[in-house]
Structures are given as C-alpha cells and as structure tokens.
Amino acid sequence: MLKKIRIWDLPTRLFHWLFAFAVLGAIITDLIEEIVWHSYCGYTALVLVVFRIIWGFVGPYNARFSSFIPSFNELKQFLKDHQVKHLGHNPLGALSVIGMLLIILVQACAGLFTDDDVSFQGPLAKYVSEDIVKLMNWIHETNHWLVYGIVALHLGAILYYQRVKKENLLGPMVHGDKEVEVNNKIPALEAVTSKDDIKIRGLAVVIIIVLAGLFRYYVLK
C-alpha cells in the first residue's frame, strides 16, 4: 500500500532551487570573469545559506537538522544496509548537505573581504587589515575547488540515484511529496509529514526579508 507524504515544504524547495541557481551562477560568472554578477550570486548564496541554517532549527520536521544529521551508528548501519529507506536525506546525503552549506558559507564570507586591487573589492575589505584581506583572498581562491567538488558530487549522486537505483530525487524537491510503502524500512520518527501551511510559508518569508534587510544595511551599506 502506497502513502503520499509531504516531505519537503515550499520554503525548503524554493531554497533548494534558488541556492542551486546562485551557486551555479557564481561558478559560471567566475569562469567568464563577470565579477559584478559573480558577487551578486555570492551575496544571494550567502543569504540563502544563513536562511537554511535558521530553517534547519525552526522549519518543518524533515527540514530540521535534528531529523537527518546521522549519528555514527546510523551512518555505519546505512553503509551496511543500503536497503533502509529514508523519507528525506539518507545519512550520506545529509553529510553532503552539511558539507555544501559549510563550503559555500566559507566561500561567500571570504568573498566579502577579498580585494584583487584591480576590479573588485569586497564590501567588508575596507574594515580589515591587509593581512586579513590576503588571507581571505587565499581562502576564496583555494576553497573554490571544494565548491566545484561538492557540486560535482551532488550532481553525480542525483544521476546515480536516477539511473542506477531508479529513485527520483528531483521530483519530491519540485512538488514536495513522496509515495512510500507503509510497510517499508522507514524509521518511525521519519514517517512524519512536514507541515507546509500558510504559517510555515509566512515564517519563511519573514526570515528571508529580515536577513536580506540586515545584509543590505550592514554589509552593502
């Protein structure tokens, strides 16, 4: 018997796609040396990462870090038995999500302090010493390889699940729902429908407006 469960609320889904476009946009504009648009993509990605971190504590069940960050034993069990089903992120997927957020957070924050002495100065570079700027330049330049790596890993995982395991990961991230068998190996606590009502969506709107306003006032002033 199949049961349709809402696993991804609308704010989480919108975050996912906006974040994907912002990161890919930052990569493309970096490659074609469009520094202004690169910075805009970076600013957008940074605000979205901070939103997702907050949403990981106040959002619906499946969006919360507490629902998918695995313990060592859970990770070990998953590696032994890949047949265990998960409504949201499986343990490896959860680690990749955390890795993605942290890598982009470091990259975007470093970008705020960079200065290439030619065409771009990060909005916060003028407030720190030259040594800090040099350090941030190095971090931003070095960390971008991790950005490429985590993006490639993410895309590769989606393709693997789509082609090999015949599991559509993108569909639920579009419409939010997933059909599961009521007798499969889903941990009891994960079999929870994520709330996706007007209150949840309104809360997300308030959070993103406040974050964008704070970023505009304190960073881009």
Side-chain angles (χ1 to χ4, degrees):
M1 178 180 175
L2 293 177
K3 181 178 180 180
K4 183 178 289 187
I5 296 178
R6 173 58 54 93
I7 58 172
W8 301 125
D9 55 277
L10 182 60
T12 298
R13 284 177 276 148
L14 288 177
F15 158 80
H16 178 274
W17 295 111
L18 291 173
F19 185 64
F21 287 131
V23 172
L24 290 176
I27 291 174
I28 292 171
T29 51
D30 178 47
L31 294 174
I32 64 176
E33 299 183 350
E34 284 286 349
I35 190 63
V36 174
W37 285 104
H38 177 73
S39 63
Y40 290 157
C41 289
Y43 300 155
T44 302
L46 177 57
V47 172
L48 288 170
V49 166
V50 176
F51 166 80
R52 185 62 183 89
I53 292 172
I54 295 173
W55 203 240
F57 293 99
V58 304
Y61 177 77
N62 287 303
R64 295 193 178 194
F65 297 132
S66 60
S67 75
F68 65 82
I69 294 181
S71 66
F72 177 76
N73 287 334
E74 289 172 333
L75 181 59
K76 185 169 65 174
Q77 179 61 33
F78 176 76
L79 294 175
K80 287 182 178 179
D81 183 9
H82 290 277
Q83 299 305 312
V84 175
K85 301 293 184 179
H86 296 80
L87 284 181
H89 300 297
N90 64 46
L92 287 181
L95 294 180
S96 72
V97 168
I98 299 304
M100 174 80 78
L101 294 177
L102 290 177
I103 289 170
I104 299 301
L105 180 63
V106 169
Q107 186 72 357
C109 286
L112 298 177
F113 297 89
T114 58
D115 187 347
D116 63 6
D117 294 322
V118 179
S119 58
F120 179 78
Q121 181 185 60
L124 300 183
K126 57 189 175 185
Y127 299 113
V128 297
S129 67
E130 184 177 343
D131 287 339
I132 295 297
V133 169
K134 289 180 179 179
L135 175 62
M136 292 302 166
N137 284 344
W138 179 83
I139 292 175
H140 196 71
E141 180 64 27
T142 304
N143 192 66
H144 86 277
W145 293 109
L146 293 180
V147 174
Y148 292 167
I150 197 68
V151 169
L153 179 64
H154 189 71
L155 295 176
I158 292 173
L159 184 62
Y160 170 77
Y161 271 83
Q162 187 79 32
R163 296 293 182 86
V164 178
K165 303 197 72 172
K166 306 300 180 183
E167 183 176 346
N168 184 5
L169 299 182
L170 294 180
M173 196 55 75
V174 173
H175 50 68
D177 299 327
K178 186 175 183 179
E179 287 190 339
V180 297
E181 295 181 10
V182 295
N183 61 345
N184 64 7
K185 298 180 181 180
I186 296 177
L189 289 179
E190 270 203 25
V192 177
T193 300
S194 286
K195 292 182 179 179
D196 194 16
D197 54 22
I198 189 65
K199 292 182 180 179
I200 287 295
R201 297 176 182 184
L203 175 62
V205 170
V206 171
I207 292 173
I208 200 68
I209 288 176
V210 170
L211 289 177
L214 291 174
F215 186 83
R216 176 67 180 84
Y217 183 79
Y218 287 104
V219 178
L220 300 182
K221 62 181 178 179

